[in-house]
Amino acid sequence: MKRLFTLFTTGILLSSAAMAADVAVKTPYARATAPGQPNSAVFMQINNQGEATRLVNASSSAAKVVELHAHTQDQGVMRMRQIDAIELPANSQVELAPGGLHIMLIGLEAPLQDGSQIDMTLEFDDGTSEQLDVPVQMVMPAGMGHGQPMSHGKMH
């Protein structure tokens, strides 16, 4: 019986390890902040080459609170909302990007400076987790690249 239990638990651990190996995080980065700015966001690509899974939590020592967020349309207005999980369908790539899915850092312990790094742990619904070193980058809003003139024609 003990041997059967050992084989069973070993199979579960190998299955979880195989699932974690099927999920790969690419190009993570956190948005740099100005002094006194209390919040920031983290973006990345998550590739899932295995069975469908979900990102259910994230944590970082860089902030008091870390939440999964999405932008949603609410009565014609884009609003940012906390969500319970980010779906990672089988054999897919999910983009966490400005204006869409992202991870919010709320109550920063210190300003996030361009060129530094923060720690982050991603937790998946199968109980696996992934530790990341996330580079901090200066992120310009869309259409405001370096050396590009800013157009006020579309501002309301």
Side-chain angles (χ1 to χ4, degrees):
M1 186 66 165
K2 182 177 181 182
R3 186 176 203 181
L4 182 60
F5 178 75
T6 301
L7 287 172
F8 178 72
T9 56
T10 300
I12 290 173
L13 291 175
L14 290 175
S15 175
S16 291
M19 182 174 266
D22 291 338
V23 175
V25 175
K26 294 185 177 183
T27 62
Y29 66 96
R31 187 183 301 251
T33 61
Q37 187 175 352
N39 305 324
S40 186
V42 176
F43 311 105
M44 65 191 70
Q45 293 175 352
I46 303 176
N47 294 324
N48 180 13
Q49 297 305 311
E51 295 179 23
T53 189
R54 300 175 341 139
L55 174 62
V56 294
N57 195 29
S59 58
S60 175
S61 64
K64 293 178 177 85
V65 176
V66 180
E67 297 177 347
L68 306 177
H69 275 225
H71 280 90
T72 58
Q73 193 71 247
D74 181 16
Q75 299 178 6
V77 177
M78 286 298 284
R79 298 188 192 277
M80 186 172 51
R81 298 276 188 238
Q82 182 180 5
I83 56 175
D84 293 330
I86 294 175
E87 301 293 328
L88 304 172
N91 301 310
S92 69
Q93 176 176 301
V94 176
E95 185 85 20
L96 279 62
L101 296 169
H102 58 282
I103 299 171
M104 280 298 298
L105 303 172
I106 302 168
L108 294 172
E109 299 294 341
L112 300 185
Q113 296 180 340
D114 186 29
S116 64
Q117 286 191 343
I118 63 169
D119 66 279
M120 177 159 282
T121 302
L122 303 178
E123 298 174 23
F124 301 93
D125 65 352
D126 67 347
T128 61
S129 62
E130 184 162 346
Q131 306 283 328
L132 304 173
D133 291 323
V134 178
V136 176
Q137 299 176 0
M138 186 64 68
V139 178
M140 299 296 289
M144 292 193 57
H146 296 288
Q148 299 293 322
M150 187 170 83
S151 170
H152 297 285
K154 294 183 181 178
M155 296 182 120
H156 297 271

